[in-house]
């Protein structure tokens, strides 16, 4: 199996340290309700994760308080923060949910953001500025804190090393937030604690925890996980390895057959290239992709038609609006719910449309119509 160099989709934090900043539809599932659901019982088997402990709000004489971030770093931040900057689209998406009024800039003016209040769509996008001017542009908005959400591909993840480096470079307090699906609930509680939005942070945190328990219960309900390969990106047959941070949801719900050797950085962020014969040897029961081009390749190349997953019409395109559901922290809840429903429709005995609508209502105060839901959830299954 050939290895692809890391950094196909996102710059690593090592590149970020140099540049100072970084860049940051599926088959419609069966919605039939099972009145004899064992979901509640299954959820009880999912181990509870430690709850976030709210920190002291007491400030010093200078108006700052000591705040412990996700890496365990002690950061001196203003007790009353009103100006926040972000260093990725992922962090930006979290701020949209919990405190959009505090954003002084964003990373990218993301497409298809109709669910975001118009008041926040015109903020300067630092990621669109020349690299040499990004630092000065961001600092011109006088942020009181910078939120750093790691993409998880660098070994500094969780150690605070990158956040500390960025804090030194910018001269502004940098707080690291957990970017994982498992830690999502506490990430919002921490943001609420930091930004004076504890009630909203708890609302979001409780919702994220409930989704995680629901999905983990589905994963725990089956004896054997589905053997799966997940292809990502339009440039060739790039498959997401088990060791990549972006594989968290896939690994939770399926037996990810993609193994990659090499350095730690390659294992965490690399994308392997697999040809049809190599995929046939691995014999996945299901293939997931996030691009139409891969589906077109399968349709046009007879060698792919020989794969069991293709013959059995078990090739699915994950929804990607507004961003890839499986690989984007802000969309992790609906991405995980979608994959669980796709792989295990009987165990995942919930109505996916209702779940997605609940996500938008809770996270964006957006009442999603059925038509808007359909626009997000492009119902497609590969037909050979």
């Amino acid at each position: 199996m050939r290895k692809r160099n890391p950094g196909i989709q996102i710059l690593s934090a090592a590149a970020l340290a140099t540049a100072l900043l970084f860049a940051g539809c599926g088959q419609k599932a069966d919605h039939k309700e099972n009145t004899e659901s064992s979901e509640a019982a299954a959820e009880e088997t999912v181990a509870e994760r430690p709850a976030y402990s709210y920190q002291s709000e007491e400030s010093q004489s200078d108006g700052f308080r000591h705040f412990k971030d996700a890496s365990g770093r002690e950061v001196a931040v203003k007790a009353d923060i009103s100006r926040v900057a972000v260093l990725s689209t992922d962090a930006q998406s979290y701020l949209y949910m919990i405190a959009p009024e505090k954003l002084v800039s964003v990373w990218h003016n993301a497409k298809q953001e109709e669910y975001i209040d118009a008041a926040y769509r015109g903020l300067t996008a630092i990621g669109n500025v020349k690299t040499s001017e990004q630092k000065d542009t961001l600092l011109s908005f006088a942020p009181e804190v910078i939120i750093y959400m790691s993409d998880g591909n660098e070994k500094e993840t969780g150690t605070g090393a990158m956040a500390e480096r960025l804090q030194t470079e910018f001269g502004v307090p940098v707080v690291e937030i957990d970017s994982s699906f498992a830690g999502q609930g506490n990430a919002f509680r921490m943001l609420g604690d930091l930004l004076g939005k504890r009630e909203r942070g708890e609302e979001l945190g409780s919702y994220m925890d409930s989704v995680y328990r629901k999905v983990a219960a589905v994963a725990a309900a089956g004896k054997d996980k589905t053997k799966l390969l997940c292809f990502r990106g339009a440039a060739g047959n790039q498959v997401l390895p088990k060791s990549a941070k972006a594989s968290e949801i896939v690994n939770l719900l399926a037996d990810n057959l993609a193994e990659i050797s090499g350095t730690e950085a390659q294992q965490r962020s690399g994308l392997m290239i697999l040809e049809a014969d190599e995929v046939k040897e691995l014999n996945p029961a299901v293939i997931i992709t996030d691009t139409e081009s891969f589906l077109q390749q399968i349709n046009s190349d007879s060698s792919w038609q020989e794969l069991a997953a293709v013959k059995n019409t078990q090739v699915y395109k994950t929804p990607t609006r507004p961003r890839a559901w499986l690989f984007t922290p802000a969309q992790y809840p609906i991405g995980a719910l979608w994959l669980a429903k796709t792989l295990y429709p009987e165990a995942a005995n919930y109505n996916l449309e209702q779940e997605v609508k609940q996500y938008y209502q809770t996270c964006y105060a957006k009442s999603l119509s059925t038509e808007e839901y359909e626009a997000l959830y492009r119902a497609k299954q590969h037909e050979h």
Side-chain angles (χ1 to χ4, degrees):
M1 299 173 193
R2 291 185 287 156
K3 298 193 290 289
R4 184 79 172 183
N5 289 333
I8 300 298
Q9 295 289 330
I10 322 171
L11 290 178
S12 69
L16 167 61
T18 302
L20 297 180
L21 293 171
F22 68 96
C25 288
Q27 177 197 28
K28 181 179 288 188
D30 182 5
H31 291 167
K32 184 178 179 180
E33 296 296 332
N34 182 352
T35 56
E36 299 180 355
S37 170
S38 60
E39 178 183 286
E43 283 193 18
E44 293 179 0
T45 67
V46 179
E48 288 291 334
R49 289 165 293 126
Y52 175 76
S53 297
Y54 286 99
Q55 303 177 46
S56 172
E57 295 180 285
E58 292 185 10
S59 60
Q60 306 169 95
S61 58
D62 59 2
F64 282 75
R65 66 170 173 146
H66 293 291
F67 190 85
K68 183 177 290 187
D69 73 1
S71 71
R73 293 167 57 246
E74 289 278 355
V75 185
V77 298
K78 287 187 64 175
D80 184 14
I81 295 172
S82 60
R83 303 180 64 79
V84 181
V86 293
L87 296 179
S88 68
T89 309
D90 290 333
Q92 166 186 323
S93 296
Y94 273 39
L95 264 294
Y96 277 150
M97 293 183 191
I98 192 167
E101 74 281 359
K102 295 181 185 287
L103 281 168
V104 295
S105 62
V106 292
W107 185 250
H108 280 308
N109 295 126
K111 298 177 181 178
Q112 301 164 334
E113 285 188 330
E114 59 272 10
Y115 52 91
I116 300 300
D117 191 297
Y120 312 118
R121 295 183 198 170
L123 295 173
T124 298
I126 304 299
N128 295 343
V129 177
K130 291 182 181 179
T131 301
S132 60
E133 301 174 3
Q134 288 175 345
K135 177 181 177 180
D136 288 343
T137 303
L138 185 145
L139 292 179
S140 72
F141 294 105
E144 296 163 336
V145 67
I146 295 173
I147 303 301
Y148 166 60
M149 180 181 287
S150 166
D151 62 19
N153 293 331
E154 64 279 357
K155 66 180 181 180
E156 292 96 337
T157 297
T159 68
M162 179 54 64
E164 192 65 33
R165 195 179 311 170
L166 291 167
Q167 183 167 294
T168 299
E169 293 285 357
F170 285 101
V172 175
V174 174
V175 171
E176 181 170 337
I177 299 296
D178 191 345
S179 62
S180 70
F181 176 44
Q184 198 166 44
N186 283 343
F188 278 103
R189 292 185 180 94
M190 179 174 285
L191 281 172
D193 194 359
L194 175 71
L195 303 176
K197 307 273 288 193
R198 285 185 176 181
E199 184 175 348
R200 176 59 174 159
E202 188 61 47
E203 178 187 12
L204 288 166
S206 296
Y207 167 74
M208 300 300 173
D209 284 346
S210 70
V211 172
Y212 182 84
R213 287 194 298 269
K214 187 188 296 283
V215 172
V218 173
K223 295 181 179 179
D224 299 313
K225 289 185 176 181
T226 298
K227 296 184 182 299
L228 178 149
L229 284 176
C230 184
F231 288 83
R232 186 180 183 191
N237 311 328
Q238 300 173 347
V239 65
L240 196 66
K242 182 181 294 185
S243 54
K245 177 65 172 68
S247 294
E248 182 181 4
I249 292 173
V250 172
N251 294 345
L252 174 65
L253 287 164
D255 179 7
N256 188 346
L257 299 177
E259 300 279 1
I260 187 171
S261 58
T263 66
E264 181 178 354
Q266 288 173 324
Q267 291 182 41
R268 292 176 71 83
S269 63
L271 288 170
M272 294 193 303
I273 297 292
L274 294 184
E275 304 298 344
D277 58 339
E278 295 173 311
V279 176
K280 187 175 182 179
E281 185 178 345
L282 290 172
N283 193 31
V286 171
I287 292 175
I288 301 290
T289 181
D290 64 350
T291 62
E292 288 289 342
S293 60
F294 182 75
L295 294 180
Q296 293 169 4
Q297 176 179 318
I298 289 178
N299 281 326
S300 61
D301 188 339
S302 60
S303 61
W304 287 89
Q305 301 294 314
E306 300 174 2
L307 301 178
V310 177
K311 290 180 179 179
N312 296 330
T313 63
Q314 295 299 303
V315 180
Y316 302 90
K317 179 179 178 293
T318 178
T320 55
R321 298 181 64 190
R323 298 173 66 206
W325 286 15
L326 282 182
F327 314 123
T328 306
Q331 271 75 62
Y332 277 171
I334 49 179
L337 289 164
W338 171 82
L339 186 61
K341 189 71 172 177
T342 298
L343 298 180
Y344 314 108
E346 292 186 5
N349 52 356
Y350 48 77
N351 184 307
L352 186 59
E353 180 174 348
Q354 290 180 2
E355 294 289 343
V356 173
K357 287 180 176 180
Q358 181 62 53
Y359 165 84
Y360 274 89
Q361 184 63 53
T362 302
C363 297
Y364 300 106
K366 165 71 173 177
S367 296
L368 206 66
S369 68
T370 297
E371 291 73 21
E372 289 171 318
Y373 166 77
E374 291 293 345
L376 290 169
Y377 181 68
R378 299 292 185 183
K380 281 198 174 185
Q381 179 182 6
H382 168 67
E383 298 290 347
H384 68 276

